[in-house]
Amino acid sequence: MPTGSYNYTPTVYHDKLNKLTTVLSKIGTEFSPDGWSILGCAEVENRGVLKDLIAQPGLAERHLGIVHFDSPDERGIDVG
């Protein structure tokens, strides 16, 4: 979030999505051309972040789905 302690601007957010996608798109490809089939995420801001991530080139063509859970954590950090 722009008002958070890391001051995530849209530019920083999209750069982080791009870097994550670069790494995630390569994991497991030595075993299967499609790579991994399940990925667990902790400390996710919200469902929208996961939607943005799987929409990135390199992951979008995998037609990934999302399972997201709102956490009762007081910081508002979710899992997916």
Side-chain angles (χ1 to χ4, degrees), residues 4-24:
S5 60
Y6 289 109
N7 297 27
Y8 272 58
T9 64
T11 301
V12 172
Y13 177 68
H14 290 288
D15 182 57
K16 186 164 184 116
L17 284 175
N18 183 50
K19 288 176 179 172
L20 282 168
T21 300
T22 299
V23 173
L24 292 175

Side-chain angles (χ1 to χ4, degrees), residues 2-70:
T3 58
S5 60
Y6 289 109
N7 297 27
Y8 272 58
T9 64
T11 301
V12 172
Y13 177 68
H14 290 288
D15 182 57
K16 186 164 184 116
L17 284 175
N18 183 50
K19 288 176 179 172
L20 282 168
T21 300
T22 299
V23 173
L24 292 175
S25 67
K26 295 177 182 175
I27 293 175
T29 56
E30 68 272 23
F31 303 108
S32 167
D34 295 328
W36 50 271
S37 56
I38 297 174
L39 175 71
C41 299
E43 298 197 11
V44 176
E45 181 68 28
N46 55 47
R47 183 179 185 87
V49 171
L50 296 173
K51 287 174 69 175
D52 289 347
L53 181 64
I54 67 170
Q56 297 297 304
L59 295 180
E61 56 272 5
R62 293 187 186 185
H63 306 287
L64 298 166
I66 294 173
V67 176
H68 170 263
F69 294 95
D70 287 318

